[in-house]
Amino acid sequence: MNYDIKDITLAPKGRLRIEWAEQLMPVLRLIRERFEKEKPLEGIRISACLHVTTETAVLMQTLKAGGADVVVCASNPLSTQDDASASLVEHHQIPVFAIKGEDNDTYYSHIRSALEHKPMITMDDGADLVCTIHSEKQDLIPNIIGGTEETTTGVIRLRSMEANNVLMFPLIAVNDANTKHFFDNRYGTGQSTVDGIIRATNVLFAGLVVVVCGYGWCGRGVAMRARGLGANVIVTETDPLRALEAAMDGYRVMQIKEAASIGDIFVTLTGDIHVIREEHFQVMKNGAIVCNSGHFNVEIDISALERMCIKKRRIREYVDEYTLKDGRKINLLGEGRLINLSAAEGHPASVMDMSFANQALCVEFLAKNADSLSKKVYSVPKEIDENVAKLKLESMGIKIDELTDEQKNYLSEWTMGT
Ligand code: ADE
């Protein structure tokens, strides 16, 4: 079996941590039990490009239980959990191409290795796998039934491919399922981003000014959790509706050029490039902490910081301290890569349970509907989304009410007023 991981001797540690995650993923466990019996993915080759974490390991086992032949590579150079990779290889015979801290060339060579598997279904987090197929490996396209996409940034890329008429196979936007972004993006990113910042720095949030750039689902989550820890939160936005929402949620909303001189901690979650750049570093306080929790490491202009500094040192494992000419120090966390996965462990398993339940069920949907789909970006079927919500509620022991016949009738009746 061909694979490329850091250290196979980490497998026992990985196995235990995967077991822990599995215990917190009841919906995926149910799907796995059904997949074991029904084998809906028999004979399907899948290449997955995901953050290689313990939760991803549980998803890979679920797909394998369904009969799929799976390989996985990293979707980010700094997010891999090397022990989880080792266990996937050692205990589950699932090839992994991922090493935490790999350079960009290795990152892309790992994607190419995963594509040697000649996937019939692709699974992406950020769309690097699909983009590599479209730009370098078009020969694989005739065999591809379709793929799934996990994250907002990936869905934006795919929609741009669709709009430019270059998309060559169907894709399902898993991110857009309600049971994905309402929970994973908000509560998952909210908690894990704060977790990453704290693990990297051990700062006390209480009393600090935290600037959250972007008030999408992820930004909403981070702002909420930072406030919960006693931080004074500022939101920056370009979208008037989101800015208004942030203001009415009780945050201070202002331009980044104004926030730059006030903030103690800056977190970018916009999905866009150079949100924090030279003009902002120029006015930041001494000791400011800057990090990113968006998918790509483009949101902070790191090359500007490199240009502006006279000294750089790694003061803690995930903290690079840049000393500027005037003596001010700016601390960049996790090399500007997503801080929740570089310095912490990503979203907790119980929220990945819903995201990855959607992934598993969408892969099954693709396999079953291979002939009827076209080269488009599809939403997650409503039945899948609702089913995931129902199963999650059940696993939490929460019962909800049912409409009475009279209530159903009322909702379809236009003549009844006061
Ligand atoms: N994305 C965010 N958190 C994650 C996790 N724990 N596993 C896989 N992908 C993730």
Side-chain angles (χ1 to χ4, degrees), residues 48-344:
C49 178
L50 297 174
H51 301 296
V52 185
T53 64
T54 53
E55 293 75 25
T56 296
V58 181
L59 173 62
M60 294 302 112
Q61 289 169 46
T62 306
L63 301 175
K64 193 168 176 181
D69 181 4
V70 200
V71 304
V72 57
C73 64
S75 62
N76 184 291
L78 213 50
S79 62
T80 300
Q81 296 173 4
D82 292 314
D83 57 345
S85 307
S87 175
L88 275 174
V89 170
E90 175 85 358
H91 303 123
H92 304 281
Q93 289 71 52
I94 293 177
V96 181
F97 301 92
I99 298 173
K100 185 169 175 117
E102 62 197 16
D103 60 21
N104 261 20
D105 288 346
T106 313
Y107 173 73
Y108 278 102
S109 85
H110 282 160
I111 288 183
R112 290 184 195 106
S113 300
L115 288 176
E116 276 165 28
H117 191 51
K118 301 196 183 339
M120 296 151 77
I121 291 181
T122 63
M123 187 177 274
D124 241 329
D125 188 332
D128 278 345
L129 194 68
V130 167
C131 290
T132 305
I133 294 171
H134 280 73
S135 55
E136 305 176 11
K137 303 266 180 197
Q138 292 101 334
D139 55 306
L140 298 176
I141 292 171
N143 285 326
I144 299 180
I145 298 169
T148 61
E149 171 53 55
E150 169 78 5
T151 201
T152 318
T153 294
V155 172
I156 290 170
R157 286 177 98 184
L158 296 178
R159 290 207 197 282
S160 148
M161 291 168 85
E162 185 183 22
N164 286 290
N165 287 321
V166 295
L167 190 65
M168 295 303 288
F169 51 87
L171 268 306
I172 302 184
V174 169
N175 179 71
D176 295 356
N178 291 330
T179 47
K180 201 280 182 180
H181 65 269
F182 280 174
F183 304 97
D184 170 313
N185 300 28
R186 182 168 36 173
Y187 303 115
T189 307
Q191 178 167 319
S192 62
T193 298
V194 170
D195 182 17
I197 297 170
I198 292 176
R199 289 199 208 191
T201 62
N202 198 28
V203 291
L204 181 75
F205 268 60
L208 292 187
V209 176
V210 173
V211 180
V212 177
C213 302
Y215 204 63
W217 289 105
C218 295
R220 289 177 180 113
V222 173
M224 180 168 65
R225 292 302 177 238
R227 174 156 70 185
L229 285 173
N232 183 324
V233 177
I234 294 174
V235 170
T236 71
E237 246 305 337
T238 55
D239 178 294
L241 197 72
R242 287 180 173 179
L244 193 58
E245 185 186 347
M248 295 217 183
D249 283 345
Y251 301 109
R252 277 193 287 166
V253 179
M254 63 183 77
Q255 293 179 311
I256 180 65
K257 67 177 181 203
E258 195 187 338
S261 59
I262 306 173
D264 297 300
I265 301 179
F266 295 81
V267 192
T268 54
L269 312 99
T270 68
D272 215 336
I273 194 166
H274 295 171
V275 177
I276 298 185
R277 45 189 187 269
E278 180 161 355
E279 67 211 74
H280 308 128
F281 296 130
Q282 294 288 14
V283 296
M284 277 184 191
K285 288 189 205 168
N286 181 32
I289 291 169
V290 182
C291 67
N292 167 55
S293 211
H295 185 78
F296 286 119
N297 61 334
V298 297
E299 305 207 15
I300 301 165
D301 187 357
I302 301 171
S303 41
L305 208 44
E306 297 280 348
R307 271 197 320 272
M308 292 165 73
C309 80
I310 49 167
K311 189 174 144 205
K312 175 183 169 186
R313 59 175 178 158
R314 182 147 296 182
I315 188 161
R316 285 169 65 97
E317 193 177 0
Y318 294 104
V319 187
D320 288 329
E321 178 199 74
Y322 290 81
T323 305
L324 308 188
K325 291 186 189 87
D326 60 8
R328 274 177 309 123
K329 292 177 164 61
I330 293 178
N331 298 296
L332 175 69
L333 307 189
E335 299 169 18
R337 299 200 184 273
L338 0 88
I339 192 62
N340 61 336
L341 279 142
S342 52

Side-chain angles (χ1 to χ4, degrees), residues 34-53:
R34 179 170 67 75
F35 275 15
E36 254 154 18
K37 288 190 214 114
E38 297 177 8
K39 299 280 175 202
L41 307 178
E42 197 68 69
I44 304 265
R45 288 186 308 278
I46 301 177
S47 297
C49 178
L50 297 174
H51 301 296
V52 185
T53 64

Side-chain angles (χ1 to χ4, degrees), residues 145 364-373:
I145 298 169
E364 182 184 31
F365 177 86
L366 283 171
K368 286 198 173 143
N369 295 278
D371 300 329
S372 59
L373 301 170

